Amino acid sequence: MKTVFLTIDVEEWFHLEYLTKYNLNKDSVETVPKIFNFLDMLDRLNIKATFFVLAEIAYKYADIIRDIRSRGHEIGCHGLDHELLHEKSDEQFEEEVIKARLILNEVLGEDVVKGYRASCFSMDRNKLDILKRCGYIFDSSYIKFVQHPLYGHLDLSKYNKVDDLIYEKDGFYEFEIPTIDIGKFNLPISGGGYLRLFPYLLIKILLQLYSRKHDNFLLYIHPFELTNIRLPFPEKLPFKDKFRASVGRRHNLKKLEKLLLKLIKEGAEFKTIGEAIETSNTMEEKDELYFSNRV
Amino acid sequence: MSYILVTGCNGFIGNRLTRALLEEGYEVLGISIEKETKIVHRNFKYISIDITDCLSVEKLFQENSISTVMHFAAIAHTKKGQKVDWNTFYRVNTLASKTIFDCAARVKADVIFASTVDVYGACEDSILTEKSIPQPVSDYGISKYLAENILKEIAEDKGINYLIPRFAPVYSKEFMKDAYKRIYLKYPKIGFIIGQGLKYHFLSVNNIIDLIVNWIKSDNKFIGIINVRDSEPIDSAEFINLERQFGKVAKIIRVPRWLILLIEFFIDSMYRITKNYKLLKLRTILYKIVNPNKYSIDKMEQLIIQKWNLRNTVCDNEKIINI
């Protein structure tokens, strides 16, 4: 594996889509403030990551977001709220992405938020174009997993594939969330609940299969998956949803560390998405210069 | 009108300090997480703030003129009876402290940051001076040490006066918990003495107040780190006898020193093999039980003469045996 992009969607446990229809005790447990063990681990491993932050919790966790930034990580936007994008009009979306970016930049004290990830990867083409118009330079919501009812089906026509998982059009980039083809199915292997659910050995095997055809990998995770603090589920929550939210959380941080160490050992370079774009732009400029000199 | 900001003004030390400063005629702005305070004074203003809310802390500095910051708000051991994890220690003791120090630097306020001798941790210097290299082991000690380093860096960069007192375990007449840890297995029924008794350094809260008030009044302020403790150590055997005279301590267990040393040696060996951090913590605790730290207070004695000790802080009865 050449390059790995580690990404974190900074949201609270109660933003999980399958929990939102219940009456939740949102104030009793916070998982975002349990993120520091994970941040310390990244420091130890010298890994820089991209954190997509939900703007509606930015003021509350301003100190944490600033600390993430001060450790050298990249901050992106995960939307103003966590509603699915197909429930928003284009006009509403445009207003919200502008506001969300302003909030995050205000908290950070600098204009650094350039990237976006849609809740539940629910991006569509119109809204992707809106992002570019609003000053973002990259998105990372594209996933080829049609079996999931919530994930978007993003049309990337006229986008050029510039590298494995990376698409570009007019200076705007889309970073794909990887899946692996197994027969006629696509299996997500990029993190989240799948990282928690699959035993480590299975993840190793799947990654090995994946790396035969791919140079780049992207991993995503959420703060609630990095702590084993007990979540206050409502009594009426079906077992299926309790299982989805809870499975594998207890040892997930250790499992993730093991996985990251394995990737480092195999020579993978960890980059933020912004770094990858910069490198790509620099390479393009060098190519242009080279060819213009030749002429 | 310029305030002295006392963070943690409702806490054990912060409350007494606030009252002492008010008696000295200072205008004090107190903050704490609780909705209310019991301190009432015409020169006192109270604002309820969670110091992890950095935006509110910044707003506090923008809306109030602050000349000095006395930062005592912290998590020490438990929060509302619940054990605290590293994430909380770091967020409250380190990150929130950084916010306060940054704000203080912006307004060129002097800063006193309440630190702890816990920062010395596994350091085995026979006498711990301010030049000893801290090797904190507890989450509390690590979080405080990180905050110390942040303050030093900010203060040196922005040219502000600062004092970092490292407090030995603090006691008052009403609060003896840290001192009791050294003599009670189960308060107040079962006490213990190791060997013939060991000498521990403690710190009367009244000495802290005297130190801080002295510092703030001084025209030529001492800048840097100082160890802070009572001038004389307390012998655990004599301490437990004093407690017995108060009618506490139903039973005393004598623990041979060699037994603790043996357990400590075993755990140390296991740590050297496994490098398990929890074993290092346990080993450090046991080591400190039988080798109580000795802190140099040469610097502190240049600033104040300690008037307070266990006897005059805690005892009312003149007939009590001298400690």
Side-chain angles (χ1 to χ4, degrees):
Chain A
M1 203 84 71
K2 194 174 75 180
T3 309
V4 177
F5 305 105
L6 177 59
T7 68
I8 298 89
D9 296 351
V10 183
E11 59 191 54
E12 264 301 347
W13 62 274
F14 50 77
H15 288 115
L16 283 167
E17 203 282 331
Y18 48 89
L19 295 183
T20 55
K21 55 182 175 278
Y22 298 97
N23 194 9
L24 302 172
N25 189 353
K26 294 180 183 180
D27 294 326
S28 59
V29 166
E30 298 177 321
T31 59
V32 172
K34 301 293 181 190
I35 205 172
F36 297 105
N37 282 329
F38 169 69
L39 293 176
D40 290 346
M41 179 187 78
L42 295 188
D43 287 345
R44 276 198 312 276
L45 300 179
N46 198 21
I47 289 175
K48 302 297 177 213
T50 302
F51 290 72
F52 294 102
V53 180
L54 200 59
E56 76 175 17
I57 59 171
Y59 288 138
K60 184 174 183 183
Y61 297 133
D63 58 322
I64 300 176
I65 296 162
R66 288 176 182 178
D67 190 47
I68 291 170
R69 176 85 184 132
S70 76
R71 292 177 193 237
H73 301 294
E74 179 175 43
I75 305 290
C77 178
H78 195 33
L80 185 64
D81 58 37
H82 206 255
E83 282 177 25
L84 302 176
L85 297 198
H86 27 262
E87 288 164 10
K88 296 179 194 289
S89 67
D90 290 352
E91 293 73 28
Q92 185 188 356
F93 176 71
E94 182 162 356
E95 214 179 280
E96 287 182 4
V97 292
I98 293 172
K99 188 173 179 186
R101 191 153 160 251
L102 279 172
I103 288 172
L104 292 172
N105 284 335
E106 181 197 340
V107 159
L108 292 165
E110 46 179 346
D111 180 9
V112 288
V113 174
K114 305 289 181 202
Y116 188 89
R117 172 171 285 158
S119 50
C120 298
F121 310 125
S122 55
M123 183 58 72
D124 62 53
R125 181 54 185 263
N126 283 352
K127 293 185 173 76
L128 195 67
D129 293 339
I130 289 171
L131 275 185
K132 180 175 190 309
R133 223 170 42 230
C134 293
Y136 288 81
I137 62 166
F138 71 85
D139 175 69
S140 177
S141 314
Y142 177 48
I143 183 168
K144 291 179 207 154
F145 188 45
V146 295
Q147 291 89 340
H148 199 293
L150 298 177
Y151 294 170
H153 312 297
L154 186 54
D155 165 23
L156 289 183
S157 54
K158 297 203 178 153
Y159 270 76
N160 301 314
K161 190 167 188 181
V162 296
D163 200 348
D164 185 33
L165 300 182
I166 306 175
Y167 304 81
E168 182 270 343
K169 177 179 177 289
D170 301 331
F172 184 86
Y173 292 80
E174 178 64 44
F175 281 69
E176 182 181 348
I177 288 88
T179 54
I180 186 171
D181 298 329
I182 303 221
K184 58 180 179 175
F185 297 109
N186 270 357
L187 193 63
I189 56 160
S190 35
Y194 307 103
L195 178 70
R196 288 185 281 121
L197 178 66
F198 298 155
Y200 181 73
L201 183 59
L202 179 58
I203 293 171
K204 244 176 78 169
I205 294 168
L206 290 172
L207 259 184
Q208 221 159 329
L209 289 171
Y210 174 87
S211 61
R212 283 182 195 166
K213 294 183 183 173
H214 294 273
D215 286 335
N216 297 336
F217 187 58
L218 185 147
L219 203 47
Y220 73 92
I221 200 140
H222 305 87
F224 84 92
E225 297 173 306
L226 299 167
T227 168
N228 63 356
I229 193 172
R230 203 185 166 101
L231 300 179
F233 294 133
E235 272 183 34
K236 288 181 186 167
L237 189 68
F239 173 78
K240 169 187 82 145
D241 290 332
K242 267 188 204 160
F243 180 80
R244 276 173 85 180
S246 307
V247 66
R249 281 176 60 231
R250 192 176 167 84
H251 299 294
N252 205 39
L253 185 58
K254 282 208 167 95
K255 187 195 270 185
L256 179 63
E257 184 171 10
K258 208 167 158 182
L259 178 60
L260 296 176
L261 279 165
K262 171 187 147 49
L263 291 165
I264 290 171
K265 199 173 165 190
E266 289 170 0
E269 191 186 356
F270 282 80
K271 283 185 181 178
T272 63
I273 293 179
E275 275 174 331
I277 293 172
E278 243 180 71
T279 311
S280 167
N281 287 342
T282 309
M283 295 295 293
E284 254 183 57
E285 282 167 15
K286 279 188 181 162
D287 284 345
E288 276 176 21
L289 191 61
Y290 173 75
F291 285 112
S292 69
N293 283 343
R294 291 277 316 251
V295 166
Chain B
M1 178 174 64
S2 204
Y3 288 107
I4 294 176
L5 171 67
V6 177
T7 75
C9 69
N10 285 345
F12 167 46
I13 302 173
N15 189 286
R16 284 165 177 75
L17 177 63
T18 301
R19 291 179 196 276
L21 292 169
L22 290 167
E23 269 174 45
E24 294 285 338
Y26 291 102
E27 311 266 0
V28 179
L29 170 59
I31 66 171
S32 195
I33 199 168
E34 289 89 8
K35 286 202 173 103
E36 289 165 358
T37 180
K38 289 184 179 153
I39 304 173
V40 178
H41 195 284
R42 66 177 187 281
N43 288 344
F44 180 68
K45 179 173 167 181
Y46 179 71
I47 297 176
S48 169
I49 285 185
D50 181 340
I51 57 169
T52 64
D53 180 354
C54 61
L55 300 177
S56 293
V57 170
E58 286 170 357
K59 193 171 169 220
L60 178 88
F61 275 82
Q62 282 157 14
E63 292 178 352
N64 295 279
S65 174
I66 292 167
S67 60
T68 307
V69 174
M70 299 190 178
H71 181 36
F72 282 80
I75 296 276
H77 305 290
T78 60
K79 192 177 174 189
K80 295 180 187 171
Q82 301 279 328
K83 210 176 155 197
V84 175
D85 70 358
W86 165 247
N87 294 295
T88 307
F89 275 119
Y90 178 77
R91 192 180 186 203
V92 175
N93 293 352
T94 308
L95 210 51
S97 295
K98 180 180 186 306
T99 301
I100 287 168
F101 302 152
D102 278 334
C103 290
R106 257 179 240 130
V107 301
K108 297 285 185 205
D110 293 342
V111 177
I112 296 177
F113 170 55
S115 188
T116 170
V117 292
D118 253 25
V119 303
Y120 291 115
C123 180
E124 289 180 11
D125 290 357
S126 54
I127 302 212
L128 291 163
T129 75
E130 292 82 356
K131 288 194 161 69
S132 298
I133 305 207
Q135 296 174 43
V137 169
S138 67
D139 286 347
Y140 175 60
I142 296 170
S143 64
K144 284 289 195 174
Y145 184 51
L146 288 172
E148 282 189 9
N149 290 335
I150 290 169
L151 175 55
K152 281 193 320 208
E153 196 179 317
I154 291 173
E156 278 152 26
D157 185 40
K158 305 289 180 193
I160 59 171
N161 295 330
Y162 72 97
L163 179 71
I164 300 175
R166 288 176 176 160
F167 298 139
V170 184
Y171 66 89
S172 70
K173 190 174 170 187
E174 297 80 18
F175 182 83
M176 295 289 286
K177 190 176 166 185
D178 282 336
Y180 281 165
K181 270 186 210 170
R182 271 80 177 169
I183 59 167
Y184 282 107
L185 281 175
K186 190 177 162 68
Y187 178 79
K189 293 188 183 148
I190 307 171
F192 72 94
I193 299 175
I194 296 175
Q196 300 305 309
L198 296 168
K199 292 189 187 301
Y200 294 100
H201 283 151
F202 292 126
L203 174 60
S204 167
V205 69
N206 298 329
N207 281 329
I208 295 176
I209 306 307
D210 287 351
L211 172 75
I212 306 288
V213 172
N214 238 339
W215 191 80
I216 198 169
K217 283 179 173 174
S218 160
D219 292 323
N220 204 11
K221 287 183 170 41
F222 171 84
I223 308 295
I225 294 172
I226 55 166
N227 291 337
V228 186
R229 61 158 171 87
D230 290 350
S231 54
E232 295 302 322
I234 296 167
D235 184 282
S236 60
E238 290 169 7
F239 187 10
I240 215 166
N241 282 332
L242 176 68
E243 287 284 294
R244 200 188 252 167
Q245 290 183 38
F246 277 121
K248 297 171 190 167
V249 192
K251 189 181 170 89
I252 296 175
I253 295 174
R254 290 198 174 263
V255 181
R257 192 164 179 269
W258 62 260
L259 180 60
I260 309 284
L261 283 170
L262 188 63
I263 299 171
E264 189 252 328
F265 172 76
F266 173 72
I267 292 181
D268 186 48
S269 308
M270 292 303 296
Y271 167 68
R272 284 173 198 276
I273 298 166
T274 63
K275 299 292 175 202
N276 183 319
Y277 189 67
K278 283 182 184 163
L279 287 174
L280 174 64
K281 273 174 144 173
L282 182 56
R283 180 249 168 213
T284 304
I285 290 168
L286 288 171
Y287 179 84
K288 278 165 58 165
I289 284 173
V290 288
N291 299 289
N293 286 337
K294 296 183 182 67
Y295 308 105
S296 157
I297 49 168
D298 293 344
K299 280 192 184 175
M300 182 186 175
E301 284 172 340
Q302 290 170 25
L303 299 184
I304 63 159
I305 297 165
Q306 294 101 306
K307 293 189 308 199
W308 303 92
N309 55 39
L310 186 66
R311 182 171 176 270
N312 62 15
T313 300
V314 171
C315 302
D316 285 331
N317 190 336
E318 288 175 3
K319 289 178 190 170
I320 299 300
I321 291 170
N322 283 337
I323 293 277

